[in-house]
């Protein structure tokens, strides 16, 4: 999932409901550069296997709502 949505400058809202992330290990720059992104709901993400969240939200300066309440964060890289 490395750089999956990186640079999607017109994207404003993302709400994941049935997106299986249980075996994902790399979320590096996943939403980086999504400058118009305002609403991002990731409460259903399973992050137990993730080892890289480096710059995951870099450049998301317009975020008004971010739900990472269920994240299992093991590093300071977000």
């Amino acid at each position: 999932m490395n750089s999956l949505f990186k640079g999607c400058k017109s994207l404003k809202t993302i709400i994941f409901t049935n997106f299986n992330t249980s075996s994902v290990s790399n979320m590096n720059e996943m939403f980086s550069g999504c400058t118009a992104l305002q609403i991002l709901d990731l409460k259903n993400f399973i992050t137990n296997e993730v080892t890289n969240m480096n710059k995951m939200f870099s450049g998301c300066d317009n975020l008004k709502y971010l739900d990472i309440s269920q994240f299992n964060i093991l590093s300071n890289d977000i």
Side-chain angles (χ1 to χ4, degrees), residues 27-63:
M27 292 186 177
N28 179 54
E29 294 189 340
M30 189 172 182
F31 302 100
S32 177
C34 294
T35 55
L37 191 58
Q38 295 178 10
I39 299 170
L40 185 54
D41 187 338
L42 305 177
K43 71 177 167 263
N44 292 317
F45 268 33
I46 299 168
T47 60
N48 295 339
E49 300 298 320
V50 177
T51 57
N52 186 354
M53 292 183 182
N54 189 40
K55 298 181 181 179
M56 190 170 175
F57 307 107
S58 176
C60 295
D61 300 330
N62 289 306
L63 272 177

